[in-house]
Amino acid sequence: MSAICERKEKGITQEQLAESADLSVTFISNIENGKISISAETVIRLSVALKVSSDRLLNIRPEKDEKQTAGFVKECTADETEILLEIIELI
């Protein structure tokens, strides 16, 4: 899990993340040190607290795929972008 990378990238301390995710600092430390496995609920709490998707937090969808998607969107016309935004709202 890349929670530690996301946390450090955002300049958040373990204490801040623990408070935001309603978890203990010890629990956050144990996650980051690979000492424990976590539940789906904890992944969601961390994702919300870090403001990232759970798939990114779990490295299911690497960052380079996100960059490729962003490149695709930049190449869209205004009409295509509007359609994409409508689709996203429906999802």
Side-chain angles (χ1 to χ4, degrees):
M1 174 181 293
S2 65
I4 189 170
C5 296
E6 292 294 336
R7 179 182 66 75
K8 287 184 175 182
E9 185 176 295
K10 295 179 185 303
I12 299 171
T13 66
Q14 286 185 341
E15 291 80 9
Q16 291 168 321
L17 179 56
E19 183 177 330
S20 183
D22 196 28
L23 300 167
S24 73
V25 176
T26 302
F27 192 71
I28 296 294
S29 177
N30 285 337
I31 293 168
E32 291 185 355
N33 290 310
K35 293 182 179 178
I36 58 171
S37 297
I38 61 173
S39 67
E41 179 185 344
T42 301
V43 171
I44 293 168
R45 285 182 182 199
L46 292 171
S47 296
V48 170
L50 292 166
K51 297 180 179 143
V52 297
S53 64
S54 56
D55 58 343
R56 179 178 168 112
L57 196 62
L58 296 169
N59 292 322
I60 294 171
R61 186 178 67 187
E63 187 175 334
K64 79 174 186 181
D65 289 345
E66 292 173 10
K67 289 179 183 173
Q68 290 171 345
T69 302
F72 168 76
V73 173
K74 286 180 185 176
E75 295 173 7
C76 292
T77 65
D79 289 337
E80 292 168 332
T81 301
E82 187 175 327
I83 291 169
L84 284 172
L85 291 173
E86 289 175 13
I87 292 169
I88 290 168
E89 284 181 31
L90 291 172
I91 295 172

